[in-house]
Amino acid sequence: MKYVIALVFVAVAEAAVVTTQTRGQGCVTVAPAENFVNAMYEGRWYEIGRIQTPGGAAFQKDCWCDTTDFHSETQLVGDGEATYSCRKHGPDGDLQSATADLLFDGIPGKFKQQFRFPFAPKLDYTVVFVDENVAMEYDCDTSFGITNYCIHFMARTPHMDSAALDALILYAESLGLNTQNITYRATEQEGCW
């Protein structure tokens, strides 16, 4: 069974402060998926759900049909870009999208994410799990003492087997990524495709 968790929208002030992997405040340093290569992450991912702080949720407020489209010019490692799209207030709502640059951070699957608007901070962006069908992505930033993060659970199709999703959520919890004990929220994909 394949698992996907990927994607995150976090827009906060400036300067990321990363701490060690603890259940305390701050971002968690987490290893990326050992099998990560850009080619495996390339293409469209449907967000199945997320665990997200309020500061990171501003872009996704009232969104349905959330997707992430990843593209890189390199097959193995290197920079890429992610375009996040959704429909506001339902499957027939206005399309909203934003593109962020994913700057290779020295380890396959680890990036600095920067949206293409003035004063956008560079967020830690880590693909924690990826296979042919599912992915899990964690992005985080601590600015001015406030930590915002998102754990995105994604699939190549608009639906994911509940056992696979449960396994990914349990994996995220076991890594200590949900430091603020945020409740999982499913993304509405019904009627979108």
Side-chain angles (χ1 to χ4, degrees):
M1 197 170 286
K2 309 297 179 174
Y3 307 105
V4 171
I5 303 174
L7 172 65
V8 149
F9 306 103
V10 178
V12 292
E14 193 174 11
V17 178
V18 178
T19 63
T20 60
Q21 183 175 342
T22 66
R23 292 195 177 271
Q25 294 301 311
C27 296
V28 175
T29 300
V30 62
E34 290 183 10
N35 63 331
F36 183 90
V37 293
N38 285 347
M40 182 176 277
Y41 201 51
E42 181 82 23
R44 172 154 291 179
W45 293 96
Y46 297 87
E47 183 182 88
I48 304 305
R50 62 190 176 271
I51 297 171
Q52 187 173 37
T53 56
F59 175 85
Q60 289 182 283
K61 184 175 175 15
D62 300 321
C63 274
W64 288 45
C65 316
D66 297 47
T67 61
T68 298
D69 290 286
F70 174 79
H71 176 68
S72 177
E73 295 295 325
T74 62
Q75 294 290 305
L76 297 177
V77 297
D79 296 346
E81 68 178 22
T83 300
Y84 305 104
S85 302
C86 70
R87 296 278 179 181
K88 297 301 271 186
H89 306 288
D92 297 321
D94 290 339
L95 179 65
Q96 172 178 286
S97 66
T99 299
D101 293 312
L102 296 180
L103 309 170
F104 179 62
D105 199 22
I107 301 171
K110 280 187 110 37
F111 300 91
K112 291 291 186 181
Q113 174 182 264
Q114 186 165 32
F115 284 94
R116 296 173 178 172
F117 51 81
F119 309 110
K122 288 183 180 176
L123 313 173
D124 292 328
Y125 182 104
T126 305
V127 179
V128 180
F129 183 92
V130 65
D131 67 18
E132 298 81 17
N133 299 307
V134 299
M136 179 172 78
E137 178 270 331
Y138 169 74
D139 57 85
C140 187
D141 177 70
T142 300
S143 294
F144 304 108
I146 299 170
T147 298
N148 284 293
Y149 62 87
C150 188
I151 307 163
H152 295 273
F153 303 90
M154 301 181 287
R156 290 293 188 183
T157 65
H159 304 283
M160 185 188 296
D161 176 78
S162 62
L165 178 59
D166 290 346
L168 285 174
I169 292 171
L170 184 62
Y171 184 47
E173 294 290 347
S174 75
L175 294 172
L177 299 180
N178 189 9
T179 59
Q180 297 179 35
N181 297 313
I182 306 289
T183 302
Y184 168 82
R185 180 176 176 177
T187 300
E188 187 59 63
Q189 294 284 358
E190 200 62 41
C192 296
W193 317 104

